[in-house]
Amino acid sequence: MLFDYVVVGAGLSGGVMAERISNVLNRNVLVIEKRSHIGGNTYDRYDKNGIFIHQYGPHIFHTKIKEVWDYLSQFTEWREYYHHVLGSIDGKRVPIPFNLNTLEQLLPAHLAGELEKKLVQHFGYGSKVPILKLREVEDPDLKWLADFVYERVFVNYTIKQWGMKPEELDPAVTGRVPVFISRDDRYFSDPYQGLPKHGYTRMFEKLFNSPKIKLMLNTDYREVLHLAWDQRTFSLFGQPFRGTVIYTGAIDELFEYKYGQLPYRSLRFEFETVHQERYQETGTVNYPNEYNFTRITEFKHLTGQHHKDSVIVREYPQPYERDVPGRDIPYYPVPHPDHQELFKKYWREAQNIPQLILVGRLAEYKYYDMDACVAKALKVFEQKLEPYNH
């Protein structure tokens, strides 16, 4: 099989690109994946006791984009699921994102009632307000509330997760979990949300199910694919490669860190089997102010599986260190203006290589949600690859 395209990475971005190339363009594509499995960080499996788990922490699919939902629905049925998160605040477990129910549960009734009126008057019922925007309000009561929420819900969780305070990060990050002027306790309010009925791994198996797709697992792409910067050319298996390379990995790694290393955050997952049907009252409980972990997730809430035991996972954010086993998976780019300047140097290099297409969270150094990964891959395919088929 001669390959017209090489895709580096078998996660969402790479999976969508490979599927489109094989089924729309009817071309041969080689997918190279460093890990022993497909699906990237969405990979799920049964553990030794037959309990279905998400290997890299909970992944709940949610989107406002019907096109994205419809596209993935070709490869999976869905389990309808609304994610609910509680936060351990002042000794109570209260709804997260912080909303009017949270307000009522944490503060005396009279004070909560007064603050609710002011929030609705100022922002409107149903609005979502980033915490840093709430802190800019001049009303003294709302300012007090903003500081209360900032201190108890946001600041310590953000420091644990990112190693930075909220105001040091790109506002898009702190805006992801706003204060919700509503009594809707769902973590996401998108019109399409759920989990693949038989798991993400099964969905990916169908995504890659084409005679035009060849998968190489357990393979660092650098073992078989080489980029010669000076000539701006690729070789594959030691031979010149004149096709297109779609790269979804870390952009600084592709260029061998010639301008320096981009910062990422990594995660450590601590799984525990508990000999009871339910460990906690909802899928995820956040711990902003206690312990070193950020949250505990119990998978049976997400999957709906019936089993006499249960599995929980604690998430410990940590610095990314590419040469240290256990810290060497880059989960999140760290959004900060200084980091963007470094990223742009690599991005400009990439634009000078006609064969190369970058797509995905690590390649674009953007903190994409899953649906945004799919949407961007579909858009890149449509704009950069599909026209050449006509």
Side-chain angles (χ1 to χ4, degrees):
M1 180 186 275
L2 295 174
F3 300 106
D4 307 298
Y5 296 86
V6 173
V7 173
V8 177
L12 273 171
S13 301
V16 171
M17 293 296 283
E19 185 280 326
R20 294 283 82 189
I21 290 165
S22 66
N23 291 326
V24 178
L25 302 187
N26 198 31
R27 299 292 183 84
N28 294 329
V29 54
L30 173 65
V31 180
I32 307 170
E33 170 56 52
K34 191 174 186 177
R35 291 169 171 168
S36 61
H37 58 75
I38 56 177
N41 292 339
T42 71
Y43 173 67
D44 47 22
R45 63 179 179 85
Y46 288 96
D47 75 355
K48 63 182 181 181
N49 299 311
I51 300 174
F52 202 62
I53 63 170
H54 292 189
Q55 185 69 41
Y56 304 99
H59 284 79
I60 296 92
F61 196 86
H62 59 99
T63 187
K64 297 179 176 67
I65 310 169
K66 185 176 185 297
E67 178 196 9
V68 167
W69 183 262
D70 289 346
Y71 170 75
L72 290 179
S73 297
Q74 298 173 86
F75 310 102
T76 185
E77 298 173 73
W78 296 95
R79 165 174 154 75
E80 294 172 7
Y81 172 77
Y82 296 108
H83 196 44
H84 291 270
V85 176
L86 298 176
S88 176
I89 312 291
D90 291 352
K92 298 179 179 178
R93 290 189 173 183
V94 297
I96 298 292
F98 193 99
N99 60 35
L100 298 180
N101 295 327
T102 321
L103 184 73
E104 198 173 72
Q105 291 176 36
L106 287 178
L107 297 176
H110 175 72
L111 178 56
E114 289 298 314
L115 289 168
E116 178 177 335
K117 280 182 200 169
K118 287 200 170 191
L119 284 168
V120 173
Q121 285 169 1
H122 199 93
F123 296 104
Y125 188 83
S127 59
K128 296 179 178 181
V129 187
I131 185 60
L132 297 182
K133 184 178 176 185
L134 186 60
R135 295 190 88 198
E136 294 169 359
V137 175
E138 293 187 5
D139 181 286
D141 293 335
L142 290 183
K143 189 174 277 295
W144 176 86
L145 176 63
D147 290 341
F148 176 88
V149 176
Y150 177 84
E151 292 295 335
R152 282 166 174 76
V153 178
F154 282 91
V155 66
N156 294 321
Y157 191 97
T158 305
I159 290 169
K160 280 198 278 188
Q161 184 78 3
W162 295 98
M164 303 168 81
K165 288 185 175 180
E167 48 270 63
E168 296 176 281
L169 287 164
D170 187 298
V173 175
T174 49
R176 287 167 69 95
V177 187
V179 174
F180 201 177
I181 317 301
S182 164
R183 294 194 178 276
D184 185 347
D185 277 343
R186 295 175 303 165
Y187 195 72
F188 308 112
S189 55
D190 296 338
Y192 304 99
Q193 46 184 307
L195 286 90
K197 190 171 183 179
H198 303 291
Y200 286 99
T201 304
R202 184 77 64 85
M203 180 182 80
F204 270 90
E205 287 171 356
K206 292 188 175 181
L207 202 72
F208 286 125
N209 185 24
S210 164
K212 296 285 183 181
I213 296 175
K214 169 75 173 173
L215 271 166
M216 286 185 72
L217 302 179
N218 291 309
T219 306
D220 187 317
Y221 74 91
R222 291 170 293 191
E223 297 171 39
V224 296
L225 182 72
H226 178 67
L227 167 61
W229 304 331
D230 46 350
Q231 286 120 23
R232 296 173 183 164
T233 57
F234 284 97
S235 59
L236 180 65
F237 303 117
Q239 300 297 317
F241 179 67
R242 295 184 176 84
T244 300
V245 173
I246 293 116
Y247 181 79
T248 72
I251 189 172
D252 51 348
E253 180 183 287
L254 180 65
F255 292 99
E256 297 183 11
Y257 311 102
K258 65 185 288 189
Y259 297 118
Q261 185 174 308
L262 282 162
Y264 302 91
R265 293 291 285 175
S266 191
L267 294 168
R268 177 170 67 84
F269 299 99
E270 184 183 89
F271 291 85
E272 181 184 347
T273 301
V274 292
H275 300 297
Q276 55 198 73
E277 281 199 32
R278 279 283 186 267
Y279 176 82
Q280 59 193 26
E281 56 269 57
T282 193
T284 297
V285 177
N286 287 1
Y287 293 85
N289 308 306
E290 306 114 319
Y291 309 112
N292 294 329
F293 52 83
T294 48
R295 59 184 181 174
I296 297 177
T297 295
E298 184 176 13
F299 295 107
K300 283 168 67 178
H301 288 278
L302 281 61
T303 62
Q305 184 181 11
H306 296 287
H307 197 287
K308 63 182 177 62
D309 295 329
S310 194
V311 170
I312 61 169
V313 65
R314 296 176 180 87
E315 284 183 45
Y316 294 84
Q318 58 188 7
Y320 165 72
E321 298 177 58
R322 72 176 194 258
D323 298 320
V324 180
R327 291 176 176 261
D328 56 350
I329 298 177
Y331 286 93
Y332 308 116
V334 183
H336 187 276
D338 292 348
H339 307 161
Q340 278 302 309
E341 287 305 309
L342 178 54
F343 162 72
K344 284 174 186 172
K345 290 182 180 179
Y346 286 116
W347 187 259
R348 283 191 289 268
E349 284 275 355
Q351 302 317 301
N352 292 324
I353 303 171
Q355 288 174 269
L356 179 64
I357 294 174
L358 299 175
V359 62
R361 183 184 271 192
L362 300 180
E364 298 180 60
Y365 203 69
K366 284 188 179 174
Y367 188 33
Y368 283 138
D369 276 336
M370 287 189 287
D371 68 323
C373 286
V374 175
K376 185 62 186 290
L378 290 172
K379 183 178 179 183
V380 167
F381 173 78
E382 186 181 304
Q383 292 180 341
K384 295 195 173 184
L385 298 185
E386 197 169 16
Y388 301 108
N389 199 40
H390 300 302

